[in-house]
């Protein structure tokens, strides 16, 4: 991974932290409960800031994978958080969504798309070009499996330079969302200079 | 009231837009989740308005917008997206988009945007 200067790390972290605050505000907007950013952790190490996420029992976790030119996102929701967030998101349409198969997966995919876009906007501004993200691919698996797949995919291009782990929490909705951001070398270099 | 075609790869968002439009007396003429379906549905239903997402699997909203405007240069397309980057909005306007709604949206947000595009 890249040898980023301290100033570069600070610049990169400031952009992601500001974007994360806006993601929390978006989540609050469509779940009708306040959310906050509990932590923003940068890692330039291939192991990433995932030790806590990799540890523990292999419980079912919803994972939404999103790509964009220069990086990718993985959003993780525990089974309970996934249920609560998707229910809050579609609360005005419960009678309609109850008939949908895989309703949590469908709702969380769209929730991920909505909540991540403020951070994408921050990255785009620093990158100096517009960014359109892919449609989210959402599935249920263990956290370890979701992370392993995303890491393998990010490393496949040989350009993974930085990883962020952001934790968003809502004490009122009893929910949390782990947001992982994988950035390519070119993106990191450009943003760190922004 | 308007006949509206909803183009979005998320069934949840198609449902929400459809519910809001129906509650307001508009007619949901059809739904599509990709470029091919959007083009076919537009030709068949001839809607007054299309709501269009930007990130949709293989097809991005730019491609769908261009295809619909090539099919009917007078097509009125309302972009409904979580993306709020001004450069993207500027380009979509140049490509013929009639307006924008940012996700998440309320009934009032959607209806205000529809009214702006279809004042009559």
């Amino acid at each position: 991974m890249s040898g980023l200067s301290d100033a570069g790390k600070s610049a990169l972290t400031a952009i992601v932290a500001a974007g994360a605050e806006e993601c929390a505000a978006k989540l609050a907007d469509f779940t009708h409960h306040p959310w906050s950013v509990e932590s923003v952790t940068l890692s330039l190490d291939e192991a990433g800031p995932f030790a806590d996420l990799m540890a523990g029992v292999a419980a079912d976790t919803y994972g939404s994978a999103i790509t964009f030119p220069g990086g990718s996102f993985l959003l993780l929701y525990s089974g309970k958080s996934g249920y609560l967030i998707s229910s809050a998101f579609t609360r005005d349409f419960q009678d309609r969504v109850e008939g949908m198969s895989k309703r949590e997966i469908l709702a969380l995919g769209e929730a991920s798309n909505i909540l991540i876009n403020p951070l994408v906007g921050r990255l785009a501004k620093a990158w100096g070009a517009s960014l359109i993200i892919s449609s989210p691919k959402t599935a249920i698996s263990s956290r370890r499996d979701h992370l392993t797949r995303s890491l393998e995919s990010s490393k496949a291009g040989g350009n993974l330079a930085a990883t962020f782990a952001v934790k968003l929490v809502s004490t009122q909705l009893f929910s949390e969302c782990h947001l992982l951001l994988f950035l390519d070398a070119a993106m990191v270099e450009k943003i760190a200079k922004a | 009231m308007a006949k509206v075609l909803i183009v979005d790869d998320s069934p949840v968002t198609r449902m929400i837009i459809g519910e809001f439009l129906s509650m307001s007396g508009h007619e949901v003429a059809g739904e599509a989740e990709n470029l091919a379906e959007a083009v076919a549905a537009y030709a068949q239903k001839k809607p007054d308005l299309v709501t269009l997402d930007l990130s949709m699997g293989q097809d991005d909203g730019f491609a769908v917008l261009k295809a619909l405007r090539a099919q009917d240069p007078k097509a009125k397309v309302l972009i409904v997206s979580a993306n709020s980057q001004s450069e993207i909005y500027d380009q979509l306007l140049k490509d013929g988009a009639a307006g924008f709604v940012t996700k998440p949206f309320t009934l009032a947000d959607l209806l205000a945007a529809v009214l702006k595009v279809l004042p009559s």
Side-chain angles (χ1 to χ4, degrees):
Chain A
M1 292 220 195
S2 70
L4 200 60
S5 68
D6 287 344
K9 288 177 197 171
S10 295
L12 198 55
T13 302
I15 288 164
V16 174
E21 291 291 344
E22 292 172 352
C23 292
K26 277 281 182 194
L27 256 171
D29 195 3
F30 67 75
T31 62
H32 319 287
H33 290 84
W35 282 76
S36 60
V37 180
E38 185 173 287
S39 59
V40 177
T41 310
L42 165 65
S43 174
L44 303 179
D45 187 307
E46 278 210 358
F50 319 125
D52 290 347
L53 291 173
M54 287 287 200
V57 180
D60 278 350
T61 301
Y62 294 99
S64 287
I66 295 170
T67 61
F68 60 93
S72 61
F73 291 103
L74 173 65
L75 293 101
L76 297 171
Y77 313 89
S78 68
K80 185 187 86 172
S81 295
Y83 171 77
L84 292 170
I85 292 168
S86 61
S87 296
F89 177 40
T90 57
R91 72 173 189 184
D92 296 331
F93 308 95
Q94 281 303 316
D95 54 332
R96 291 292 310 274
V97 292
E98 276 174 11
M100 287 182 171
S101 63
K102 300 182 180 176
R103 60 182 167 154
E104 279 93 6
I105 286 180
L106 295 174
L108 283 174
E110 186 64 346
S112 299
N113 172 46
I114 294 171
L115 83 89
I116 208 67
N117 259 289
L119 177 51
V120 175
R122 290 271 178 179
L123 294 173
K125 195 171 179 184
W127 170 250
S130 56
L131 287 175
I132 293 184
I133 60 174
S134 71
S135 191
K137 288 184 179 169
T138 306
I140 302 176
S141 187
S142 69
R143 284 206 293 208
R144 177 182 289 273
D145 285 349
H146 283 303
L147 278 165
T148 302
R149 272 196 294 273
S150 283
L151 266 174
E152 282 173 358
S153 173
S154 297
K155 286 178 186 171
N159 284 321
L160 179 61
T163 305
F164 278 94
V166 176
K167 187 175 180 183
L168 306 171
V169 295
S170 172
T171 53
Q172 287 190 21
L173 192 60
F174 306 105
S175 296
E176 60 185 42
C177 167
H178 293 276
L179 189 168
L180 286 307
L181 167 60
F182 305 94
L183 291 170
D184 292 355
M187 177 69 99
V188 168
E189 192 177 337
K190 185 118 185 212
I191 291 176
K193 288 178 185 168
Chain B
M1 292 293 113
K3 274 170 60 179
V4 185
L5 171 64
I6 303 168
V7 184
D8 198 305
D9 67 336
S10 165
V12 172
T13 295
R14 292 201 305 273
M15 180 272 293
I16 292 173
I17 294 173
E19 284 287 306
F20 279 164
L21 291 172
S22 298
M23 284 162 60
S24 313
H26 295 293
E27 177 191 343
V28 177
E31 296 184 9
E33 60 179 77
N34 56 44
L35 190 152
E37 286 184 12
V39 168
Y42 191 92
Q44 190 187 358
K45 308 288 185 183
K46 297 185 173 46
D48 304 310
L49 177 71
V50 178
T51 69
L52 173 62
D53 185 22
L54 275 187
S55 300
M56 292 187 299
Q58 299 294 317
D59 310 310
D60 72 38
F62 282 100
V64 179
L65 174 62
K66 283 178 182 168
L68 293 177
R69 296 278 295 176
Q71 191 175 357
D72 175 6
K74 292 180 179 171
K76 294 193 183 305
V77 181
L78 179 66
I79 305 297
V80 182
S81 171
N83 195 314
S84 56
Q85 296 164 50
S86 57
E87 296 82 0
I88 288 178
Y89 279 25
D90 291 345
Q91 187 57 53
L92 287 164
L93 280 175
K94 283 180 192 164
D95 291 347
F100 305 95
V101 177
T102 305
K103 296 177 183 175
F105 52 84
T106 63
L107 171 64
D109 295 333
L110 185 65
L111 292 186
V114 170
L115 195 61
K116 207 169 172 182
V117 175
L118 297 171
S120 59

